[in-house]
């Protein structure tokens, strides 16, 4: 499996500044894993990133749960490749 050159995992990526960071990185060609507590918000942000022509993966995640964070990182690496950002 070929991975993109850069992969970004953005927490708080479902709305506001986090979403804008995810989309800015997508515009630069990064594959993005968009993480936040709201499944609906991350799915919408990931869809917006895909419309920019990059791979995007929505991750429903509560960053206060360390086990969930570790799982999300592992799944991001498996899905998009090693995390650069």
């Amino acid at each position: 499996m070929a991975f993109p050159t850069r992969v970004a995992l953005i927490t708080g990526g479902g709305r506001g500044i986090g979403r804008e960071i995810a989309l800015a990185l997508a515009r630069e060609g990064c594959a993005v894993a968009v993480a936040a507590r709201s499944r609906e918000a991350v799915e919408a942000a990931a869809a917006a990133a895909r419309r920019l022509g990059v791979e995007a993966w929505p991750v429903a995640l509560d960053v206060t749960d360390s086990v969930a964070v570790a799982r999300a990182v592992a799944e991001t690496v498996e899905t998009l490749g090693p995390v650069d950002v």
Side-chain angles (χ1 to χ4, degrees):
M1 172 187 288
F3 291 118
T5 303
R6 304 282 305 221
V7 174
L9 172 58
I10 300 94
T11 59
R15 61 189 177 120
I17 292 170
R19 178 185 168 101
E20 292 308 312
I21 290 169
L23 295 178
L25 289 167
R27 282 186 210 94
E28 293 298 319
C30 288
V32 292
V34 184
R37 287 181 289 175
S38 168
R39 167 64 67 186
E40 184 176 293
V42 293
E43 286 179 357
R50 283 189 212 100
R51 287 191 294 273
L52 296 170
V54 299
E55 287 187 80
W57 185 56
V59 182
L61 173 65
D62 178 351
V63 297
T64 65
D65 180 346
S66 62
V67 172
V69 171
R71 184 174 49 246
V73 171
E75 290 173 358
T76 297
V77 170
E78 184 177 318
T79 302
L80 299 176
V83 176
D84 299 296
V85 179

